[in-house]
Amino acid sequence: MTRVSAPARIAACLGAALMGTPPALTFGLPSLVQVCFRRKGQRLARVWGQGAGLEAALCSAVQRAAVDQSRVTHIEITVARPGRLMTDQDLSRGRVNDFRGLMGIELRAPGKLARLGPLEMVTRNLGPKAALLALSREIGLPLAQVQAWAFPADQYLMEWPGARMHSLFRGQKPVPPSAITRARVQEMARGMEDWLLAQVAPDGAAAYKYWPSTGQYSSANNMIRQFMASAALAAIAARRGDCRPVVDRNFAYNFNAFYTEDDSLGLIHEGEKVKLGAAAVALIACLNLGGTGYQAQAAALSRFILSMQNPDGSFRTFLRPADRTDCQNFYPGEACLALMRLHQVAPDPALLTAVRRAFAFYRDWHRANQNPAFVPWHTSALCLYLRHENAPEMAAFVFEMNDWLLTIQQGNDRPADVWGEFFDPARPEFGPPHASATGVYLEGLIDAWDLANRLKDPRAHTYRRAILCGLRSLRQLQFRHPSDMFYLTKRARVLGALRTTTYDNTVRIDNVQHGLMAIRRILDLWDRAAFQPQDLPLCPVGK
């Protein structure tokens, strides 16, 4: 099979074939291509073509598709390259982001063959395991009776008419570090705000998760993420007064549906669960909203949070079920941040004491149980504490945590579309890459940068580079332009939103909320010069 070096060959051949004047064929090595014709996201035809040379394969595909060129707006082209037998490692958790969207899958059996190209897997949002099952059903044989092959491929998108070509990588064009300017980051934030506001229904409920490839909303929900979205909406309202009615509807819905009080303690119910983290983020949402509307709820939520702290400084993470003690990497940090946010508006020595006791416990706990999820919440909480009290040991711990966090940030030794993402294939136990993870790590990193900058610590330069790379990753994930949404028919539903990863286009509310909160804090603290990425791309600091 021939690897394409000049997209112009493809454009010329497809353009001529669509117009009914097939080009002269150049015979060469056997070529295999998949061509998908679309009209504003709607698929008109998707076919494989094969021939003695690239042009012959493309012409074969056009003939088989038999589409009306006047209806076509976009054409996806996948040019397959020689493959190999799949291994168990191809489906392992640590390898899936290296595989998905870059490798196609083919099932072979005597007299039978079925394949999915990597670009098709991206547009259908299929992982390798789902693709194997789909192909197994298509071929009519169980996986145990077939050979599974993986093949790389070159990916292109052609706009029609006009034959403008784009080289794609996992279905997108990689965003260069030079794209991270202050103006573009402001543009990103505005798009994220608009999307988040649009998720609030007339009754105030916010859509939690959406699958763009199928055009369906998920029935799942998560109250911590919903109240974090409320916190982001309140912050938007502080900047954009015109959206306050939307935000008020959202607060009213969430507090009416999920908030109760028990013996003066404010609780957030999620089915049978009552989580420390949900109360913490609901308190932050109330504080972001300001005013007098939810002061009583904020006071009750703070009493609940304080009631969940043990004498040794640790926190109970669940009121119900009472025997659950997990989520220690998340909820205690969220609780400490909520208490410090409350102290900003209603100073109380008891709040400082609670956070100081938590620090004494969780510093040792984290050192024995290192996990990146722990870092941003405690970073932001401790940085707020340090604005009120001098505690060098806390500052040292902030730097210790964030120096370690940067060891999982992907740098320029990885594919260009994942630079700045927080994921370490060698340590998959820390979880898969995720837009919400990158966003929340940036929330902590900008506070760590601010601390280092105030203390004139040289880490400020390192953290700045890491933040710029993280912003590059978020921009890679945002639906911003028709070329990002060429395979979608309901584009308004995702415009401004962030995919979960480069290979999974699922949109979740916290994908946007965390990144937006980080970006707004960055824009507040950085001038134009701080965005100059002259020293990027960044190699991982700790590797």
Side-chain angles (χ1 to χ4, degrees), residues 285-521:
C286 292
L287 296 171
N288 283 359
L289 190 65
T292 59
Y294 289 86
Q295 283 187 339
Q297 291 90 334
L301 289 164
S302 67
R303 289 191 291 269
F304 169 69
I305 294 169
L306 290 170
S307 76
M308 296 291 282
Q309 189 170 37
N310 299 313
D312 64 358
S314 65
F315 281 92
R316 295 164 56 199
T317 49
F318 287 81
L319 181 67
R320 303 186 192 119
D323 59 346
R324 280 193 64 173
T325 60
D326 55 311
C327 295
Q328 290 287 338
N329 280 310
F330 297 90
Y331 300 173
E334 293 165 353
C336 288
L337 178 57
L339 295 177
M340 285 310 309
R341 286 291 314 279
L342 180 60
H343 185 270
Q344 283 185 299
V345 298
D348 183 348
L351 301 176
L352 293 177
T353 298
V355 173
R356 188 164 55 246
R357 287 167 54 211
F359 163 71
F361 178 88
Y362 283 105
R363 176 176 57 177
D364 293 339
W365 188 90
H366 175 65
R367 287 171 174 170
N369 305 274
Q370 281 186 314
N371 190 293
F374 178 96
V375 175
W377 302 106
H378 286 270
T379 293
S380 294
L382 295 181
C383 286
L384 281 179
Y385 186 100
L386 288 163
R387 287 192 170 273
H388 299 277
E389 300 282 337
N390 182 33
E393 69 280 10
M394 284 191 181
F397 187 52
V398 167
F399 295 148
E400 175 187 325
M401 287 189 292
N402 286 277
D403 289 352
W404 177 79
L405 175 67
L406 296 192
T407 68
I408 72 164
Q409 188 177 31
Q410 304 209 65
N412 64 350
D413 58 340
R414 303 290 296 155
D417 65 333
V418 299
W419 290 350
E421 174 184 83
F422 287 84
F423 172 68
D424 185 354
R427 292 178 282 182
E429 66 274 14
F430 292 153
H434 204 291
S436 66
T438 296
V440 75
Y441 296 147
L442 289 180
E443 287 186 85
L445 273 168
I446 186 58
D447 287 337
W449 173 88
D450 185 45
L451 177 64
N453 190 55
R454 287 191 289 111
L455 297 179
K456 301 189 186 309
D457 189 290
R459 288 178 176 87
H461 177 66
T462 299
Y463 294 163
R464 184 187 72 85
R465 292 190 301 158
I467 290 167
L468 287 170
C469 280
L471 291 172
R472 192 226 66 83
S473 176
L474 294 186
R475 188 167 178 84
Q476 183 76 60
L477 300 176
Q478 189 176 32
F479 288 107
R480 296 179 290 107
H481 189 270
S483 65
D484 302 319
M485 302 178 280
F486 62 89
Y487 58 95
L488 302 179
T489 57
K490 299 173 181 177
R491 298 175 182 178
R493 292 186 179 181
V494 299
L495 182 63
L498 272 64
R499 307 165 183 80
T500 295
T501 66
T502 56
Y503 54 77
D504 179 355
N505 65 15
T506 301
V507 172
R508 207 170 71 185
I509 200 165
D510 55 321
N511 291 7
V512 174
Q513 172 268 322
H514 278 306
L516 176 60
M517 296 299 285
I519 286 172
R520 280 304 179 192
R521 177 93 170 120

Side-chain angles (χ1 to χ4, degrees), residues 258-275:
F258 304 107
Y259 174 84
T260 61
E261 291 188 12
D262 184 356
D263 194 22
S264 81
L265 303 181
L267 312 178
I268 303 297
H269 289 268
E270 185 175 328
E272 298 299 316
K273 300 173 186 175
V274 177
K275 305 174 182 178

Side-chain angles (χ1 to χ4, degrees), residues 167-207:
S167 294
L168 303 182
F169 188 88
R170 251 190 287 249
Q172 294 183 311
K173 295 184 289 184
V175 172
S178 60
I180 307 307
T181 64
R182 183 177 176 85
R184 288 196 177 108
V185 173
Q186 288 174 322
E187 169 201 293
M188 285 174 61
R190 183 67 184 214
M192 294 161 79
E193 289 177 352
D194 290 344
W195 180 85
L196 197 58
L197 288 164
Q199 302 319 298
V200 180
D203 66 354

